[in-house]
Amino acid sequence: MKLKFPSAYTILFGLIIAVAVATWFVPAGQYDREMSETLGKEVPIPGTYKEVEPNPQGFADVVLAPIAGFFDPGSYEARAVDVALFVLIIGGFLGIVTRTGAIDAGIERAMTALRGREKWMIPILMALFAAGGTIYGMAEETLAFYGLIIPVMIAARYDAVTGVAIIMLGAGVGTLGSTINPFATVIAANAAGIAFTDGILLRFVLLILCWLACVIYVMRYAEKVKANPSASIVADRRQSNEAHFLKGREAAAGNHQLDFTLTRKIVLLVFVLAFAVMIWGVSAGGWWMAEMSGLFIVAAILVGVIARMSEEDFTNTFVDGARDLLGVALVIGIARGIVVVMDAGNMTDTILFWAEGAVSGLPAIAFINSMFGIEVALSFFVPSSSGLAVLTMPIMAPLADFAAVPRDLVVTAYQSASGLVNLINPTFAVVMGGLALGRVPYERWLRFMWPLLLILTVIIMAAISIATLLN
């Protein structure tokens, strides 16, 4: 019997168990905290770490962790339930639009117009997602785009991995090279006691270099798959992916085209406008999951009216579309459960305290690279860029003064580490959710990513080391 790599659900539940076991051995500890008026959040106070009463996580905590990932069972405070609900509503919306045939007809026309030039979609789309990442930390919002981008890539004779990479690496490298991202750079800079514009030139350089590396890497992979479909890391899923993403149509060009009727054109326009409004709402209107979910409910109803769908047909199609993404919604909640267990076991501050001791007294170059390595490690446990900034910057940034390293370099090391890890982080719902949407097994994504991770790591460490020498 051939052994198979476990599914995302098993991986995540295994991590919950591993973290729960660790709470029995890692000393429980906490920093004192004070409210930061600048950040509007409580931040740890340097030098105040102390061990506290252990709270090891047992069988009941492990069982409840996936549920607690969605909402706090004690206070009923939302955790990942809003993101999971958003994914289900996106599934319903995509089901309605797909039912009209507008997406299929639009893809066919796009492939006809771009024949021979399909590869240039990759840098263009990755630039757009990177812009969202560097400007406002585009992350959960990308989950809405998988159903749009992946079918286009498969129709262009690439594969699902290419579509996933365009979205996940595009937005991810933008966050890695955050320039004005309020959820990473601005919060971290404020917590470090500096202006967020300090060090912005280096972050621009990192953004451009890392984006170029990602684009070249994805384009080379995509062209290799197009020339030889067996080179795809999901080659064994090619037929099922074509059936799923293209709804049974042949991916090869030259088939009979669907009629691109006026109704389908209007539906496609509503489809595109819905995403445009979402981007505006998040970046400028203060929207989050509730508002985005409401937007796509309205957009789904509008498409149903335009396509003259009956009430029964509309509701059945919407529910079927949501059902298609139920697994993704479950993955998101389970991934959040890992962080819940670690926080409940009072491990997070202890790990931060160990990190504080590891970098104290190091010379400048060793300090900044050690800082990067420590932030990489902490990012696995705290996938939220804003959460990691609030947790680590008040403690780690002042240490830079003793190593004669500017604090803005600590901010750059933090955001680069967070962005790098969140390209593969199994505790980050956006990674596991995106892979589930793209039908790409986690271990194959790791196989695809490891050479690129090494390249990006070299670029980041070289950049912060040179910047340290120049300062």
Side-chain angles (χ1 to χ4, degrees):
M1 180 179 175
K2 185 179 178 182
L3 293 176
K4 291 182 65 177
F5 197 84
S7 67
Y9 308 102
T10 304
I11 293 170
L12 293 173
F13 203 78
L15 287 172
I16 288 174
I17 295 172
V19 170
V21 170
T23 63
W24 289 81
F25 302 99
V26 176
Q30 285 183 347
Y31 284 92
D32 291 340
R33 280 168 163 75
E34 62 183 1
M35 178 59 67
S36 168
E37 294 183 5
T38 304
L39 300 176
K41 298 180 180 181
E42 288 190 339
V43 299
I45 304 171
T48 62
Y49 174 83
K50 58 184 177 297
E51 291 195 9
V52 298
E53 189 70 24
N55 185 30
Q57 301 294 283
F59 177 77
D61 301 300
V62 169
V63 171
L64 288 176
I67 299 166
F70 287 105
F71 68 93
D72 186 333
S75 66
Y76 297 100
E77 179 184 353
R79 283 175 173 154
V81 67
D82 54 348
V83 181
L85 181 59
F86 171 66
V87 167
L88 294 178
I89 290 172
I90 282 290
F93 170 69
L94 292 175
I96 295 294
V97 176
T98 301
R99 180 79 167 76
T100 67
I103 292 179
D104 293 343
I107 289 173
E108 288 183 343
R109 293 312 184 281
M111 291 304 99
T112 300
L114 290 169
R115 189 165 295 149
R117 302 187 301 275
E118 297 93 343
K119 67 179 181 180
W120 297 112
M121 289 189 293
I122 295 173
I124 293 170
L125 290 170
M126 290 185 74
L128 293 174
F129 284 113
T134 194
I135 293 170
Y136 67 92
M138 190 178 198
E140 286 86 354
E141 310 91 290
T142 60
L143 296 174
F145 289 91
Y146 286 87
L148 172 63
I149 302 296
I150 294 176
V152 173
M153 292 300 111
I154 291 179
R157 293 187 292 129
Y158 300 132
D159 66 353
V161 175
T162 305
V164 170
I166 286 171
I167 301 169
M168 200 174 295
L169 292 183
V173 79
T175 304
L176 184 158
S178 292
T179 50
I180 59 173
N181 175 6
F183 304 108
T185 306
V186 176
I187 286 180
N190 285 338
I194 60 174
F196 78 89
T197 51
D198 291 352
I200 197 169
L201 179 60
L202 174 61
R203 292 192 279 272
F204 264 120
V205 171
L206 273 175
L207 174 64
I208 294 168
L209 291 178
C210 293
W211 176 82
L212 280 173
C214 290
V215 167
I216 293 169
Y217 189 83
V218 174
M219 289 182 74
R220 287 186 63 186
Y221 171 81
E223 287 298 297
K224 185 169 66 173
V225 169
K226 190 170 186 177
N228 178 18
S230 64
S232 168
I233 64 171
V234 290
D236 59 320
R237 299 180 170 219
R238 181 182 177 190
Q239 289 186 344
S240 64
N241 280 344
E242 287 180 3
H244 177 80
F245 290 109
L246 302 180
K247 304 304 178 186
R249 295 186 297 110
E250 291 295 327
N255 293 329
H256 174 69
Q257 290 190 331
L258 292 171
D259 292 332
F260 203 21
T261 62
L262 178 62
T263 297
R264 284 175 175 155
K265 290 178 182 177
I266 296 173
V267 167
L268 207 56
L269 177 62
V270 172
F271 181 80
V272 173
L273 285 176
F275 287 93
V277 171
M278 180 192 75
I279 292 171
W280 170 85
V282 173
S283 59
W287 288 14
W288 195 228
M289 291 299 156
E291 292 83 359
M292 289 192 291
S293 298
L295 167 67
F296 284 104
I297 289 175
V298 171
I301 294 172
L302 186 57
V303 169
V305 171
I306 293 169
R308 300 181 183 86
M309 297 175 69
S310 68
E311 184 272 340
E312 182 181 11
D313 192 18
F314 175 87
T315 53
N316 288 340
T317 303
F318 190 93
V319 170
D320 287 342
R323 186 183 296 119
D324 287 342
L325 298 191
L326 178 60
V328 179
L330 292 174
V331 161
I332 289 169
I334 298 172
R336 184 64 181 271
I338 299 168
V339 180
V340 170
V341 170
M342 189 177 71
D343 287 343
N346 292 322
M347 283 175 53
T348 309
D349 282 12
T350 298
I351 295 171
L352 178 60
F353 176 68
W354 290 345
E356 179 184 359
V359 298
S360 296
L362 291 176
I365 298 294
F367 173 86
I368 197 61
N369 284 285
S370 296
M371 185 69 72
F372 171 72
I374 286 169
E375 292 288 355
V376 164
L378 289 171
S379 294
F380 280 101
F381 300 104
V382 188
S384 166
S385 58
S386 58
L388 185 64
V390 170
L391 175 69
T392 64
M393 285 301 100
I395 303 296
M396 307 303 271
L399 296 177
D401 300 341
F402 298 100
V405 173
R407 292 190 181 191
D408 62 86
L409 280 178
V410 176
V411 172
T412 300
Y414 136 77
Q415 70 173 52
S416 300
S418 176
L420 182 73
V421 171
N422 281 345
L423 298 176
I424 60 162
N425 196 351
T427 66
F428 190 32
V430 172
V431 170
M432 302 308 287
L435 294 179
L437 286 166
R439 294 160 62 92
V440 177
Y442 180 68
E443 84 281 3
R444 300 197 197 185
W445 180 247
L446 291 181
R447 192 198 316 166
F448 170 78
M449 283 294 299
W450 76 262
L452 180 60
L453 291 176
L454 290 178
I455 294 168
L456 295 176
T457 299
V458 169
I459 292 172
I460 293 166
M461 293 182 72
I464 60 177
S465 296
I466 293 170
T468 301
L469 287 174
L470 292 177
N471 276 287

